Amino acid sequence: MRFNFASILGVTLGLFGCTTGALNISRTDAQSVTFSVNPYVRITRQLVLVASNGTVVSTGVQSGRTVRFRLPTNQQALPYTSQCMQVRARTGESVGIAGVDESGFLLPDWRNYMRSQYEGGYLQQQRAQLSQQMNSDAQMYRKASAWMQNNPGMYSNGVCQTPALSSQPTDACENHTVATRIAVDQCQVKLRCPAMGYFAGQAAGNYQKLAELVIENHCAIDDMTARGEEVNIEFLGHVLTEELAEATAEWMLKQAGASDEKAHLLAKGLVAWGEFSSCVDEATSACDARYQTWLNSPATAHENCTASVAILASMPQKLDQERSLLQSIDNQLATLRSQTSNGIGGGARVISCGK
């Protein structure tokens, strides 16, 4: 009995080492690897799957004569999928695997799945960004081509020309006097319409405020229509803001001792004057901007011509390079898809690192 026990113990320890097969690979897939335990071997229940850099990738779960390692599928595990794996005891000893030498093994199903999930996702992101860039570049090329066609005299003898200054627009302000005249003309509706509303309200008796609201905003809408503008949600929001401002100012004036009628008139006048002043400031700035745009238009045209010529000269090559890069990304994605479809499906799929 002593001899038999010593012999069995020797076999057990021998099979536990790297040179023999304490474990047989039973099944692998993209998310796990399962080993069957040699029936002549007694192994510890504390087995771990270790990468070549010493990182514990997974802890084995033993059930009967099998040990299953669930493989991590988060992005942080991607580098380990290309490292050689070994099964070890918690105490550090290597466990021998049939058909695999001490250098360890690779799991291609896991590696291909992870590459498809994360490298494929990164390639898809690159592809989307590149496609967006190509669309932008193609649109830029079309705009440059259209600009050159619409300005045939700008490019002559290989040189962009600078056109003469055109007549000054009537709504462009070269000085403060012109700016004020144009601004007041544009903004008088800010005073005229509230005045019309107020006088209509005076004749409406108990319906004073309703009449004011209707007449004043009907006047404003007519003015917008004459300028070719549309009544939209912004206009309605502006109406509500004015009404709230008037109501607040009227309440404050009443608190200061003004009569109802006087408080109402003063509040309406204050809001109208504020709107008029704001309109004049904005209209003056816009008029000045139009003047500067007109004044700079020859230089701007020359700059547009120079930019368009440069785009038309360089963009075809850039688009060719982008198309080539896009094809390269598509080829990489196709390779990943092929590896993934061929790499999942069960069976004992391992690659010994020593081969």
Side-chain angles (χ1 to χ4, degrees), residues 66 79-80 119 133 236 282 299:
T66 63
Y80 305 131
E119 292 185 24
Q133 182 62 51
L236 298 178
E282 293 177 2

Side-chain angles (χ1 to χ4, degrees), residues 267-332:
K268 197 167 192 65
L270 286 172
V271 172
W273 182 255
E275 287 287 316
F276 174 76
S277 299
S278 177
C279 177
V280 168
D281 290 341
E282 293 177 2
T284 300
S285 297
C287 197
D288 289 338
R290 285 191 293 270
Y291 179 75
Q292 291 301 320
T293 298
W294 167 75
L295 200 62
N296 296 331
S297 58
T300 301
H302 184 272
E303 292 173 1
N304 288 338
C305 176
T306 302
S308 297
V309 169
I311 290 170
L312 293 176
S314 62
M315 195 59 73
Q317 182 179 1
K318 187 173 187 290
L319 286 169
D320 284 343
Q321 292 173 345
E322 290 170 343
R323 281 189 285 266
S324 177
L325 181 56
L326 185 68
Q327 184 60 56
S328 175
I329 293 174
D330 285 341
N331 291 340
Q332 293 179 64

Side-chain angles (χ1 to χ4, degrees), residues 108-345:
D109 291 354
W110 181 39
R111 179 183 60 193
N112 294 337
Y113 172 78
M114 293 287 282
R115 288 187 64 195
S116 176
Q117 289 294 303
Y118 297 107
E119 292 185 24
Y122 174 69
L123 287 172
Q124 289 285 9
Q125 184 180 14
Q126 278 190 314
R127 191 186 194 285
Q129 292 175 348
L130 181 58
S131 296
Q132 185 177 7
Q133 182 62 51
M134 289 175 65
N135 289 334
S136 177
D137 289 343
Q139 185 178 15
M140 190 182 301
Y141 183 85
R142 289 192 296 269
K143 286 183 177 179
S145 180
W147 192 93
M148 295 298 289
Q149 291 176 4
N150 293 331
N151 298 272
M154 283 295 302
Y155 191 67
S156 177
N157 298 322
V159 178
C160 284
Q161 307 299 313
T162 300
L165 191 63
S166 62
S167 299
Q168 180 178 338
T170 56
D171 61 348
C173 313
E174 74 274 16
N175 56 58
H176 183 72
T177 301
V178 175
T180 302
R181 176 179 56 78
I182 293 176
V184 170
D185 183 62
Q186 291 179 351
C187 298
Q188 62 176 328
V189 68
K190 300 295 183 180
L191 294 176
R192 179 169 55 83
C193 289
M196 290 177 62
Y198 176 77
F199 288 119
Q202 291 298 298
N206 294 333
Y207 299 99
Q208 176 185 359
K209 291 191 176 181
L210 177 60
E212 287 181 0
L213 180 66
V214 171
I215 298 303
E216 179 177 342
N217 288 294
H218 187 274
C219 170
I221 291 172
D222 285 345
D223 185 71
M224 291 177 65
T225 303
R227 295 197 306 265
E229 299 176 6
E230 293 184 359
V231 178
N232 51 29
I233 191 67
E234 292 182 3
F235 171 76
L236 298 178
H238 185 72
V239 171
L240 293 176
T241 301
E242 281 189 348
E243 289 298 313
L244 180 61
E246 282 186 22
T248 302
E250 186 175 339
W251 178 83
M252 293 177 66
L253 289 166
K254 287 179 181 179
Q255 294 297 309
S259 65
D260 290 351
E261 184 60 31
K262 187 175 182 180
H264 178 66
L265 176 61
L266 288 174
K268 197 167 192 65
L270 286 172
V271 172
W273 182 255
E275 287 287 316
F276 174 76
S277 299
S278 177
C279 177
V280 168
D281 290 341
E282 293 177 2
T284 300
S285 297
C287 197
D288 289 338
R290 285 191 293 270
Y291 179 75
Q292 291 301 320
T293 298
W294 167 75
L295 200 62
N296 296 331
S297 58
T300 301
H302 184 272
E303 292 173 1
N304 288 338
C305 176
T306 302
S308 297
V309 169
I311 290 170
L312 293 176
S314 62
M315 195 59 73
Q317 182 179 1
K318 187 173 187 290
L319 286 169
D320 284 343
Q321 292 173 345
E322 290 170 343
R323 281 189 285 266
S324 177
L325 181 56
L326 185 68
Q327 184 60 56
S328 175
I329 293 174
D330 285 341
N331 291 340
Q332 293 179 64
L333 286 168
T335 299
L336 280 176
R337 284 192 293 267
S338 175
Q339 290 175 341
T340 302
S341 62
N342 293 331
I344 299 177

Side-chain angles (χ1 to χ4, degrees), residues 55-108:
T55 301
V56 175
V57 173
S58 178
T59 299
V61 176
Q62 189 169 349
S63 176
R65 302 298 295 177
T66 63
V67 180
R68 183 171 183 265
F69 294 92
R70 181 175 292 279
L71 302 171
T73 55
N74 55 354
Q75 189 171 2
Q76 288 71 25
L78 182 61
Y80 305 131
T81 63
S82 297
Q83 296 185 25
C84 291
M85 297 288 155
Q86 289 184 338
V87 177
R88 295 180 180 272
R90 284 287 187 184
T91 52
E93 298 93 340
S94 297
V95 179
I97 299 171
V100 175
D101 61 25
E102 65 275 6
S103 61
F105 58 92
L106 294 170
L107 297 167

